[in-house]
Amino acid sequence: MRIVVAVKQVPDTSEVRIDEERGTLIREGVPSILNPFDEYALEEAMRWRDELGGSVTVVTMGPPQAEAVLREAVSMGADDALLLSDRAFAGADTWATSHTLARAVVKMGDVDVVMTGKQAIDGDTAQTGPGIAASLDWPQITFVGRVRELTQDSITAERYVEGGCEVIRSSLPVVITVLKDANTPRLPSLRGKMKARKMEIPVWGMHDLGLSPDEVGLDGSPTRVVRIMTPETSACGEIHRGEPGELAKLIADYLLGKEGE
Amino acid sequence: MASIEVREDTCVGCGVCVPACPFGAISMEEGLAAIGDGCTLCGACESSCPYGAIIIRTEDAGKADIARYSGIMVLAEQRDGVVDHSTLELLGEATRLASADEGPVSVVLLTSDPMDWPARLISHGADVVYLGLDPALSHFRTEPFSKIAEKIIREKRPAVVLAAATTTGRDLMPRIAKNLNTGLTADCTELAIDPETGGLLQTRPAFGGNILATIVCSDTRPQMATVRPRVMKAMEPDAGRKGRVENLDLSPDDLVSRTEVLQWSPLEEGEVDITEAEVIVSGGRGVKSPENFSMLEELASLLDGSVGASRAAVDAGWIPYPHQVGQTGKTVQPKIYLACGISGAVQHRVGMQSADRILAVNKDESAPIFEFCDQGYVADLFEVIPLVIREVRRRRS
Amino acid sequence: MNYFLSEELNDIREVCAEIAEKYIIPVRAELDEENRFPSEIIKVMAESDLCGIYIPEAYGGSAEMFGGGSMALCVATEELSRACGGVAVSFAANALGAMPILISGSEEQKQKYLPDLASGVKLAAFALTEPEAGSDAGGVKTKAIRDGDSYVLNGTKQWITNGGEAQIYTVIAQTDPSRGARGLSAFIVEEGTPGFSYGKKEDKMGIRASATRELIFEDCRVPAENLIAREGFGFIVAMKTLDRSRPGVAAQAVGIAQGAMDEAARYASERIQFGKRIDSFQAVQFMLADMATQIEAARALVYSTARMIDAGEKKFEKESAMAKVFASDTAMRVTTDAVQILGGYGYMKEYPVEKMMRDAKITQIYEGTNQIQRSVIASAVIKETASGSRK
């Protein structure tokens, strides 16, 4: 069983603070971490590898320093790692990211399952997993809370959706996106850390993947960020006083979303 | 390939761009902005520069024939034939946007049993209902639903395609967008039409809600977005609205799926994990009794949310421990946290401070929770909450 | 202070810190309240390869990677103790139990027992103390009588850390009562040996996550090959074991003190009285300054001692004792001051410092009370003076 886990290096958003005066993000001192949701995908992959044999390869697309999250994954027990890095990859949206990752999966060959976290905590899009599946024309099971069974030719997984749980079976190869319900990720081991420190991690760029500039990075991205703002936050908020009936209306406005714009 | 450039003749070295970079990739070198390796070409600096000294260049990659696309298409979501409320919200938003755009508001409904929904979708703002009817469409499955949607989008060429940012919408839309080679923005909380370009301005929270990013898809069509449920407003249904229903021709090939749904088990009452809840109605010492918690439960269930509690309420035995939020309970990150009769001690605060929005109802004007909530209401919860429940019911009906 | 630890020792610290954060801190109050052994956490430590850090590679461990086992054990124990002294001692007691085999065991004994300890499949415990033999090891009453190919053990061991949880016990017993301490011998006893049972589990003041239990031997027949070294070497084996383990107790004390200091400093920065953070008051500042200084001095002494052992120094009885005395007295003082800084909150179980103060106390008592340690230090000083040697 060859499982590829697609991971992402993200800023620890729980550490991001806002400069109230300038209305900007304070990035200083914010650590870069392995996207927490990807840890669940990695753990799920390793559990099935431990049971069925085979290997787990972690892959990420990012700048050279994104290698750090690959080493972290290896310290937790991944067998191999692969970095997709090229100046041309910069500025990729989820379309270009999934396109690039999918191409790497094709080039690796003989991959049975691609697993990734439900979403990354910086963008929260949850689009890369299905995007990879679409690029590969593989089936997908998203929002997986539990993998019930994985065999040489099929997977059965519980998909946690609004109001319930679907049990889905799919043929292989397949793309799975994993929720934190799936497992408890193991911690890095001492031997893993030593292996990770020494491991040579191959780097594939645009040409290695046979991609052209107009299908990667910013040029390959249909979407573009045009403005970034900080949401209005009032440190002490608004305090309302008055008739209970009036207050109830204000609360309901808030709970039910914006009023007639 | 794309590139970023600092124009040395224009840059005055004011440093505004340094903190504007979400990736910390800009530094000041010899009085000029210098772009480092961490740059992802996100464009935040470009818009922050007061002097227009930072420029991102992209290569024009043969623009799609944008003029051939018009109208807004909504992908409906149904379970057991019943259309989800989020679909009605999207129709409401689509009609609002369509007044700035030309072309019809359409909705794609794939189901095994339409009931009276095509007519109701029209009364909620649809001009056209594309109805795909087949027993195989009773339950959502990625492949048939995305294949059929893709086909109809290629054929009808809407300028905008919207779906709810539910597990269904977020499963389906990225697949369609990838195959159509077009852009998709996830979990939008605000949509608008750019008066200059006519393009869709898609605004969404990112970085754990720390920032709001506005995203455009300028060169490809359709412009696709998933939209957070309960943010947009459905329109008042108008039974007199005119619209038409078009039945889709489905081929056996459209219905092929490599995945199958073996089982569907709806959640039972009380099974909801509060850490996953998007809305939490939480009670503290001020709730005073276990019976009074049922009032909070009622409001929570109206909002598809869960009930939380402070340690004081749990220790008093009014509600079981799994509901406890705070230092010794769970840490939650809902979109809305409504704290009722909770003073807001730091032990509670650490468990809920990362909620997107904190609302607080408390009689005691000096309660610490009023120092960090977003919206505070100085009132007796026993007077206000029943009125909130009534108000929510009234608006939903 | 930067001790320029090797990358490998830093790995140990990071792995332990992560275990502390994810697995220990969330449950430490519960383990303390319920007097519950942290089996799950020990399993995580085993999966993280921590159980073999003091055992040579030849027996499945990785001690060589860290330049010997002493610093490795100290770094691990300190970091774990920062979160919970009870969990940390449950880990460290394995090394104590294994130490007699490591120091004096035969090649066969090492091959047979150490790999399972290194992998964490089995746990170990060291059994010396008895109701009438604490500081005075010569008072050991448990007898081991040679009978053909085996020894027959009779007696009771008391307050054995990891008792009832470990599978491998190193037990000190009398083979020749006429010779007092020189009649003691060390044995390996496996769980499940007929005649070997557990007595009551103690209800302790602190380190309540750790298991402390009686071992009962009633005509317990142990194969003669389980004798460590030779008859009559038990006292020496025990003393050498304790000399090596005392830096571990000292590291535990440093960790507990650091954990309490972290809590106190954080609290002092958040607590507002008279309109100001209380860490702006000199009364609190001076307490924090003394705490930090004493902890650093203790840590420096512990690390120096451990490095000395790893470097191959044969005589470190005095330094071991000094590290243990100084670090444990520091832990008691620092945890008491931490409770003081937190005031009323510090006295309540909702905050962790009261537990840290209870946990700290044992470090002044076990593996040789601080009074005994001072005697050891004094006699070394007197001997050095008499022999004119300069240290």
Side-chain angles (χ1 to χ4, degrees), chain C residues 20-259:
Chain C
E21 187 199 324
K22 297 225 168 93
Y23 289 89
I24 302 178
I25 290 174
V27 300
R28 63 184 173 191
E30 206 177 301
L31 294 172
D32 178 60
E33 180 75 29
E34 297 169 9
N35 212 3
R36 181 153 55 83
F37 187 79
S39 303
E40 285 299 307
I41 301 172
I42 302 285
K43 206 176 139 221
V44 172
M45 292 176 187
E47 285 165 1
S48 301
D49 307 323
L50 282 176
C51 292
I53 55 175
Y54 60 93
I55 294 175
E57 283 163 10
Y59 311 109
S62 52
E64 289 87 346
M65 211 129 57
F66 312 107
S70 273
M71 265 305 276
L73 260 182
C74 284
V75 168
T77 307
E78 178 194 345
E79 199 60 42
L80 296 170
S81 300
R82 203 164 166 170
C84 177
V87 172
V89 75
S90 304
F91 164 77
N94 288 300
L96 179 66
M99 208 56 82
I101 305 176
L102 262 173
I103 299 172
S104 312
S106 67
E107 186 58 27
E108 289 74 23
Q109 287 168 341
K110 288 178 184 177
Q111 293 286 2
K112 181 169 177 192
Y113 295 106
L114 295 180
D116 280 349
L117 295 176
S119 67
V121 169
K122 289 184 178 170
L123 303 183
F126 177 64
L128 170 63
T129 304
E130 296 185 5
E132 289 168 53
S135 298
D136 177 12
V140 164
K141 295 276 188 295
T142 297
K143 285 196 186 64
I145 308 294
R146 178 95 193 203
D147 179 27
D149 281 348
S150 48
Y151 287 87
V152 180
L153 272 63
N154 275 290
T156 302
K157 291 289 173 184
Q158 182 174 259
W159 304 336
I160 304 309
T161 305
N162 278 3
E165 304 293 340
Q167 291 74 40
I168 297 168
Y169 294 82
T170 43
V171 179
I172 306 296
Q174 274 289 0
T175 42
D176 186 353
S178 67
R179 300 189 64 205
R182 307 215 170 274
L184 295 175
S185 302
F187 297 91
I188 302 165
V189 183
E190 291 183 58
E191 186 179 55
T193 307
F196 171 29
S197 62
Y198 302 120
K200 70 164 177 169
K201 187 172 169 179
E202 302 295 341
D203 192 7
K204 305 188 292 293
M205 173 195 217
I207 56 164
R208 292 168 55 84
S210 70
T212 307
R213 211 157 169 180
E214 271 183 345
L215 310 183
I216 299 165
F217 300 98
E218 294 165 305
D219 293 329
C220 173
R221 195 168 279 275
V222 175
E225 70 246 28
N226 285 19
L227 172 70
I228 296 174
R230 280 183 283 153
E231 276 191 29
F233 273 64
F235 184 74
I236 294 168
V237 168
M239 292 306 113
K240 279 187 175 173
T241 291
L242 293 172
D243 286 345
R244 279 183 182 267
S245 69
R246 272 184 201 114
V249 177
Q252 181 196 18
V254 170
I256 293 171
Q258 185 66 55

Side-chain angles (χ1 to χ4, degrees), chain B residues 28-284:
Chain B
M28 298 305 297
E29 284 172 20
E30 294 170 14
L32 293 176
I35 313 290
D37 277 350
C39 174
T40 68
L41 300 173
C42 76
C45 56
E46 189 183 23
S47 53
S48 80
C49 178
Y51 304 95
I54 301 179
I55 296 164
I56 295 180
R57 291 204 171 83
T58 55
E59 284 172 23
D60 260 345
K63 294 189 180 184
D65 191 356
I66 287 171
R68 291 168 64 221
Y69 290 78
S70 72
I72 300 176
M73 182 181 278
V74 170
L75 304 185
E77 190 170 329
Q78 55 84 11
R79 173 148 285 137
D80 300 326
V82 178
V83 170
D84 194 76
H85 191 265
S86 59
T87 301
L88 307 182
E89 294 162 15
L90 293 177
L91 283 173
E93 182 66 9
T95 53
R96 194 179 65 80
L97 291 170
S99 50
D101 182 68
E102 302 148 39
V105 169
S106 59
V107 59
V108 180
L109 176 62
L110 307 181
T111 184
S112 59
D113 177 9
M115 303 189 225
D116 59 350
W117 281 102
R120 288 173 72 176
L121 292 170
I122 290 169
S123 72
H124 275 92
D127 301 314
V128 193
V129 178
Y130 297 112
L131 180 63
L133 205 52
D134 194 282
L137 298 175
S138 65
H139 198 106
F140 170 74
R141 281 175 308 158
T142 309
E143 288 178 272
F145 278 64
S146 64
K147 263 185 283 185
I148 297 166
E150 245 174 79
K151 213 160 86 169
I152 184 88
I153 292 167
R154 284 185 204 276
E155 189 184 318
K156 303 297 175 186
R157 288 199 293 273
V160 172
V161 175
L162 303 177
T166 54
T167 54
T168 304
R170 300 181 85 169
D171 183 86
L172 189 62
M173 292 283 272
R175 203 165 170 108
I176 298 171
K178 185 70 186 59
N179 286 337
L180 295 175
N181 296 324
T182 192
L184 169 63
T185 305
D187 204 21
C188 297
T189 53
E190 203 180 313
L191 297 174
I193 300 293
D194 184 335
E196 283 171 33
T197 64
L200 185 66
L201 298 169
Q202 306 158 82
T203 301
R204 64 182 304 268
F207 280 95
N210 285 304
I211 57 169
L212 284 173
T214 301
I215 291 163
V216 297
C217 171
S218 47
D219 300 341
T220 57
R221 289 292 181 271
Q223 308 158 87
M224 296 178 62
T226 59
V227 179
R228 187 176 289 188
R230 289 189 295 277
V231 172
M232 307 302 177
K233 216 172 134 48
M235 62 183 272
E236 290 295 326
D238 172 3
R241 262 191 113 262
K242 295 269 180 287
R244 65 192 168 82
V245 178
E246 192 179 315
N247 283 297
L248 301 175
D249 267 337
L250 303 177
S251 73
D253 199 40
D254 293 334
L255 300 169
V256 171
S257 176
R258 287 168 287 185
T259 60
E260 53 180 322
V261 181
L262 299 183
Q263 198 187 326
W264 160 244
S265 3
L267 270 188
E268 280 169 30
E269 265 328 290
E271 250 189 308
V272 176
D273 174 5
I274 61 167
T275 60
E276 294 283 342
E278 296 205 341
V279 177
I280 293 176
V281 181
S282 202

Side-chain angles (χ1 to χ4, degrees), chain A:
Chain A
M1 185 67 55
R2 178 155 195 211
I3 306 176
V4 168
V5 182
V7 302
K8 185 179 186 186
Q9 185 181 45
V10 295
D12 188 346
T13 53
S14 64
E15 302 274 328
V16 174
R17 295 286 171 267
I18 303 291
D19 180 333
E20 302 282 354
E21 270 173 37
R22 310 169 87 161
T24 52
L25 286 177
I26 302 171
R27 281 272 319 187
E28 205 172 30
V30 177
S32 287
I33 57 170
L34 172 59
N35 174 38
F37 287 106
D38 295 338
E39 289 189 26
Y40 300 94
L42 176 61
E43 176 62 33
E44 200 58 34
M46 294 192 297
R47 283 183 183 196
W48 288 101
R49 171 204 62 193
D50 294 346
E51 178 154 334
L52 302 170
S55 70
V56 171
T57 304
V58 277
V59 59
T60 193
M61 186 189 91
Q65 58 267 32
E67 197 193 74
V69 296
L70 296 177
R71 293 200 188 277
E72 187 177 344
V74 171
S75 75
M76 291 167 73
D79 300 279
D80 303 297
L82 171 63
L83 177 65
L84 309 179
S85 193
D86 196 310
R87 196 73 190 93
F89 293 161
D93 72 358
T94 58
W95 190 98
T97 304
S98 45
H99 192 71
T100 308
L101 286 165
R103 189 61 68 92
V105 171
V106 171
K107 184 170 166 163
M108 280 184 241
D110 297 323
V111 175
D112 300 292
V113 184
V114 172
M115 293 195 188
T116 188
K118 160 185 103 152
Q119 65 197 49
I121 58 166
D122 54 350
D124 288 329
T125 73
Q127 290 178 176
T128 303
I132 296 171
S135 305
L136 295 166
D137 190 23
W138 288 5
Q140 69 194 38
I141 312 178
T142 54
F143 304 100
V144 168
R146 191 178 148 223
V147 176
R148 281 193 182 179
E149 189 186 49
L150 179 60
T151 67
Q152 293 306 326
D153 44 36
S154 82
I155 185 164
T156 308
E158 294 176 10
R159 185 166 183 264
Y160 292 180
V161 303
E162 294 82 5
C165 163
E166 297 172 343
V167 181
I168 309 265
R169 181 161 64 205
S170 172
S171 58
L172 300 189
V174 68
V175 175
I176 303 290
T177 76
V178 180
L179 301 177
K180 62 182 182 188
D181 307 73
N183 53 53
T184 306
R186 66 192 72 179
L187 300 180
S189 68
L190 286 173
R191 285 192 177 87
K193 274 177 170 283
M194 287 172 203
K195 176 180 173 187
R197 232 191 344 258
K198 288 175 192 145
M199 179 178 267
E200 292 269 335
I201 296 177
V203 182
W204 291 355
M206 183 177 74
H207 297 296
D208 301 303
L209 293 171
L211 290 166
S212 61
D214 62 358
E215 52 186 334
V216 298
L218 189 61
D219 290 340
S221 295
T223 64
R224 177 96 197 269
V225 177
V226 288
R227 194 166 56 134
I228 289 180
M229 317 174 278
T230 48
E232 290 150 33
T233 46
S234 42
C236 55
E238 274 180 83
I239 305 298
H240 307 273
R241 297 173 186 80
E243 280 299 300
E246 286 306 306
L247 294 178
K249 284 198 179 112
L250 289 176
I251 296 173
D253 286 351
Y254 225 92
L255 295 175
L256 297 177
K258 296 181 299 190
E259 288 301 289
E261 281 184 63

Side-chain angles (χ1 to χ4, degrees), chain C residues 269-305:
Chain C
S269 72
E270 288 166 357
R271 174 74 168 173
I272 308 287
Q273 290 288 278
F274 306 105
K276 287 163 143 180
R277 292 159 46 152
I278 64 167
D279 65 4
S280 65
F281 298 115
Q282 206 171 51
V284 174
Q285 289 175 352
F286 283 11
M287 286 171 84
L288 290 173
D290 285 344
M291 291 158 94
T293 308
Q294 289 164 8
I295 292 169
E296 207 57 73
R299 183 180 290 123
L301 185 53
V302 175
Y303 286 5
S304 302
T305 306

Side-chain angles (χ1 to χ4, degrees), chain B residues 274-337:
Chain B
I274 61 167
T275 60
E276 294 283 342
E278 296 205 341
V279 177
I280 293 176
V281 181
S282 202
R285 202 184 298 277
V287 178
K288 292 185 179 147
S289 78
E291 294 72 35
N292 293 335
F293 261 95
S294 59
M295 180 172 77
L296 304 186
E297 275 156 23
E298 187 180 351
L299 179 56
S301 75
L302 272 176
L303 301 166
D304 289 333
S306 299
V307 175
S310 72
R311 178 170 166 181
V314 172
D315 282 357
W318 301 337
I319 184 161
Y321 175 75
H323 293 270
Q324 187 176 320
V325 173
Q327 172 107 339
T328 44
K330 295 198 169 102
T331 300
V332 296
Q333 196 178 6
K335 306 258 155 71
I336 294 179
Y337 190 91

